[in-house]
Amino acid sequence: NWIDHVIPFIIIITFGTYISAFANEPESDEVDWDAISQNCYINEDGYYYYYNPDTQYVAVVEDDAERLTQEEEYDLLFYMYTITDFGNAYYKTITDNPFYDASDYAEYFLNEEKGCYGGGSGTVFLDDTKNRRLEIFSNGEIYRYVSKGKAVSITDNVYQYASNEEYFDCAAEAFYEIATLLYGGRIAQPMKYTSNAFLALIISLLICFIIATITSTTSKASISQVMESVEGNLEFTNIKRVCKYQ
């Protein structure tokens, strides 16, 4: 039965996929607040920001939708400042989006409003409260590590926090996962792993079906073999000669 060949393939491929997923979970690290607090400020617009004196990149919290308390805005820099080794980092919340989609606004905000287009490097985590969308847009060096696919995985990972109105945890986890990718780590990608497991299942079924079809096919007898078999079993009885005349 070809089904017997399918089960081992499914177990091996699916199990291996999910083991990889759990192995790639990032581990948390402790950071000394005192080492960065001396470079945290409030700009002329009232936004908290961190300035990296070595790279001159900044991490800025622009919470226009007031998702966070003032203390949380300051604490969020704790999760953002390491990103400034690679580029600018922004947390942006909005109540009104002049663009059709959150991704369009995120791209405009980073490239045009913050001037990161063409040679710049940065990332923005956008909370579009009007459209109820989370979006991550990156460019420059950061995009090498936080591609569009990775950005989608991060927003998938943190969306439940936003659904539960845990906005600080949502933003903190998003920037933590961005930083994890920038420093060579890996993040959980459950949707990707599920898709890979499903694809592996389909491929396993197809391969096993082909193998079973090949191994279960019997050889077709040739015409000469059929005739030899027929001739060997012919039996003539009551033979008569009949003559016909025109």
Side-chain angles (χ1 to χ4, degrees):
N1 191 340
W2 67 275
I3 293 294
D4 295 335
H5 299 280
V6 173
I7 296 177
F9 277 95
I10 296 175
I11 294 175
I12 293 173
I13 297 178
T14 305
F15 183 74
T17 299
Y18 280 95
I19 284 296
S20 175
F22 288 114
N24 294 333
E25 288 286 346
E27 298 179 358
S28 45
D29 298 316
E30 294 185 359
V31 180
D32 184 7
W33 251 110
D34 295 334
I36 67 169
S37 60
Q38 59 183 351
N39 291 315
C40 294
Y41 311 92
I42 300 178
N43 63 19
E44 61 275 10
D45 296 318
Y47 297 135
Y48 284 107
Y49 75 99
Y50 166 81
Y51 173 74
N52 188 323
D54 296 324
T55 64
Q56 298 184 352
Y57 289 125
V58 294
V60 187
V61 178
E62 298 190 9
D63 184 22
D64 296 332
E66 299 182 350
R67 291 294 210 189
L68 309 178
T69 65
Q70 190 173 23
E71 182 180 357
E72 288 174 336
E73 290 179 9
Y74 183 76
D75 289 347
L76 187 59
L77 295 176
F78 172 86
Y79 294 89
M80 299 173 66
Y81 87 99
T82 54
I83 299 173
T84 60
D85 288 339
F86 301 85
N88 295 311
Y90 299 94
Y91 172 67
K92 183 70 174 179
T93 66
I94 57 175
T95 56
D96 184 48
N97 186 351
F99 294 87
Y100 175 76
D101 190 73
S103 61
D104 295 330
Y105 182 88
E107 182 176 357
Y108 165 80
F109 174 83
L110 189 63
N111 287 342
E112 304 298 333
E113 190 170 324
K114 298 304 179 183
C116 289
Y117 180 77
S121 178
T123 186
V124 56
F125 175 57
L126 173 69
D127 184 349
D128 182 353
T129 63
K130 179 180 180 180
N131 296 315
R132 299 181 60 84
R133 283 286 306 277
L134 301 177
E135 191 74 28
I136 294 176
F137 180 81
S138 306
N139 62 13
E141 184 179 3
I142 292 181
Y143 184 76
R144 293 173 51 198
Y145 302 91
V146 189
S147 62
K148 186 175 181 179
K150 294 291 178 59
V152 171
S153 294
I154 294 174
T155 54
D156 287 342
N157 292 343
V158 304
Y159 189 82
Q160 190 60 44
Y161 290 116
S163 298
N164 296 335
E165 299 184 357
E166 299 171 351
Y167 301 116
F168 176 80
D169 293 336
C170 176
E173 179 63 22
F175 285 111
Y176 173 70
E177 293 192 13
I178 291 173
T180 297
L181 292 173
L182 291 174
Y183 282 92
R186 297 185 178 184
I187 62 173
Q189 296 179 271
M191 293 302 295
K192 177 181 178 181
Y193 299 135
T194 300
S195 298
N196 288 348
F198 181 74
L199 181 60
L201 172 61
I202 297 300
I203 294 175
S204 299
L205 290 171
L206 180 60
I207 292 175
C208 293
F209 178 76
I210 293 174
I211 293 175
T213 301
I214 294 174
T215 56
S216 62
T217 301
T218 55
S219 301
K220 184 177 180 180
S222 63
I223 295 177
S224 60
Q225 290 175 325
V226 172
M227 294 304 299
E228 289 177 0
S229 175
V230 171
E231 291 175 359
N233 291 280
L234 287 177
E235 182 177 347
F236 300 95
T237 58
N238 300 323
I239 300 175
K240 296 181 180 180
R241 175 178 295 179
V242 178
C243 296
K244 292 185 178 180
Y245 299 91
Q246 298 289 337

